[in-house]
Amino acid sequence: MLARCVEAANPHAFALEDGPLPGAQGSLEAWFRFETTTANCRGHIRLRDGRCVSLFTCVVALKGHDEKLGAARDKGVQHGAFAGRKSWTERRREIQRELGVSTQPYCLIIGGGQGGVTLAARLKMLNVPTLVIDKHARPGDAWRERYRSLCLHDPVWNIHLPYLPFPDHWPVFTPKDKMADWIEAYAQIMELDIWSSTEATSAAYDASSREWTVTAKRAGETVTLRPKQLVIATGMSGAPHIPNYPGATSFEGLQFHSSAYRTGEGFAGKRCIVVGSNNSAHDICADLWEHGADVTMIQRSSTLVVRAATIMKFFSSKLYSEEALKAGITTEWADFIAASRPYALLAEAHKAVYDEIKIHDAEYYDRLAKAGFMLDFGEDGSGLSMKYIRRGSGYYIDVGASELIMDGRVKLKSGVHIEQVEANGVMLSDGASLPADLIVYATGFDPMERWIEQLISPDVARSVGHIWGLGSGTRRDPGPWMGELRNMWKPTRQQSLWVQGGNLQQARFYSKLLAIQIKARMEGIPTPVYDPMVFGAELNPRHLA
C-alpha cells in the first residue's frame, strides 16, 4: 500500500505534537503533524523494543478548504445600506425553498438520526450543499418513538455531537426523549436542511452523468432528486427481523417486534413473553415488570452481560469522563486515541481486561449463572466492545434488569426456542408450554445491506458486500479478515455511495472523515482508492474525482 500510495500523497513537514499519551507500560508513543499534497494531517505511533507496533494517520483538513469555524466563520450579516438586501431569515427561507426543487444538493443523506445530522453538520461547515431526508415527522423521532424506558448506555462525555457539546449540567446517561429533543434542537441551531416525513423509494446511479436519481414520497407527492453523492444513514441495522414461527397467525393476543414496543402500561397482570436476551429484551422485560406484568424472557443463546458501572470503571472512564478531562484528554483527543488503536490489537488487550472483570464481578456472574442465564464473553473472551464491532449484537449492558432475573421477578427460560405459537401461548423446544397475552420479538434486525438491496438493487448490494464487522470469522462476522469496519465511512464498491452509522461517538468522529472525502470530490481533488481485496492492489480509477 505504501509503495503505491506514498509518492502521490507526498507526506512531508513532519513535526512532533503535544498530546495525551495514556499508553501501555513498556511502549513509547508520540503524536505528530504532517502534510500531504492536498491535506493537513495528524498521526500517532507506538514503539516497543525499538520497533513500530502501530502507525495511525488521519486527514484533519483539506488545504484551502477549512471548516467555517473561528476566524473562518460567516459574518452572518451584510453591513451597509443597499436596495434588495435580505435578512438572515429571508436568505434561510430561500435556501429551504429552493434546495431539492430548483437547485439540487451535491450530497443527499437518507436518514435524519444521529448519523445523518452529524454528517450534515460537518458538510455544512465545509460548504457542501446537502439535503437530509427522513421518514419521521421530526428530527429526533428515531429516538423519540422507541420504548419509554430507553436510556443511552454510553455516558455523556462519550456522546457529544460535533460543534455543540452538551452543557455541563447534562445527565451522565441521557434518556431517549431528551436525546430526541437535543437532535431536533441541534438540527435547527446548525441550520441543517431536512425534509421530514419524506421516504426514499428508489435510487439509481448513472455512471455517464456521475449522478444519482433518487425518488421519494413527500407530502403525498413523488419527488425526484439528483445528487452527486448518496449517503445511507439509516442506522446500523436493516428492517426488523421476526422469526417465522409456525402457528403465529393463530395467536389471539398481541405480538410485535421490539421496535414497535412503547410501554408496559396496560399490561398489569398480563402474561408477557419476550423472545431474546440482548439490550432491548432486558429493557422491555424490566419495563413490563415495572407495570405489573407477569414476564418471561426466552433466552435462545448465550449473551454477554456486563454492568454499566463496570464498563465505566474499566473502559469508558479512561477516555470519556471528568477524570479524563482533568488529565487533559478532551473529547477530540479521546476520539483520536480510540481511533489510533488498530482493531487487530484490541481483542488480546480486551481479553486481559475481561479476565479482571470476571474477578471483580465474580459474585454477580455467579448469581446470574445460578438463575440459569447463559453467559459468554465473546467467542474468544474479548468482551462487549469486540462483539459490538464484529456483529453489533449479542450483549446487554446491565442497568438493572439482571437483578430482576437473578431474584426471579422476571422468569427465565434459557437454552430453548419456540417450536409452535398457539392461540393462547407458545410451545417450547423442551416440551414446555407457556401461556401468553403478549409476545414481544426482541430478535434483532436484518443486515444493513438490505436497505441498499431494497432502495437500489440486489446487484449493487452484492457489489458493496457485507456492512459492518471486521471479518473476524466469529459468529455473524464472516471472513476474510478486513482489519477495519467494512464499508463504513469510506468509498464503497458502488461509486458515490457511502454508509454513515454507528454509535454517537463513531458518528461524531467519522462524520468528519466522511465529510472531508465528499468535499474533496466536490472540489475535484484527486481521491484514488487502494483496495487490494478487489482491485489487485491497484488504485481504483473509478473513485478519482
Side-chain angles (χ1 to χ4, degrees), residues 230-279:
L230 178 63
V231 180
I232 306 295
T234 51
M236 269 179 53
S237 305
H241 173 73
I242 301 178
N244 186 22
Y245 291 126
T249 56
S250 68
F251 185 63
E252 295 178 357
L254 292 174
Q255 58 178 332
F256 42 76
H257 189 264
S258 58
S259 58
Y261 179 87
R262 296 294 177 266
T263 176
E265 187 176 349
F267 290 102
K270 301 292 185 180
R271 300 161 299 182
C272 302
I273 290 175
V274 178
V275 183
S277 55
N278 293 344
N279 273 328

Side-chain angles (χ1 to χ4, degrees), residues 448-454 456-467 487 494 497:
M448 191 174 178
E449 52 265 30
R450 292 288 172 82
W451 289 132
I452 296 176
E453 180 180 307
Q454 295 168 14
I456 306 173
S457 73
D459 286 343
V460 169
R462 281 191 293 271
S463 175
V464 170
H466 190 56
I467 297 173
N487 290 306
Q494 167 58 55
L497 177 67

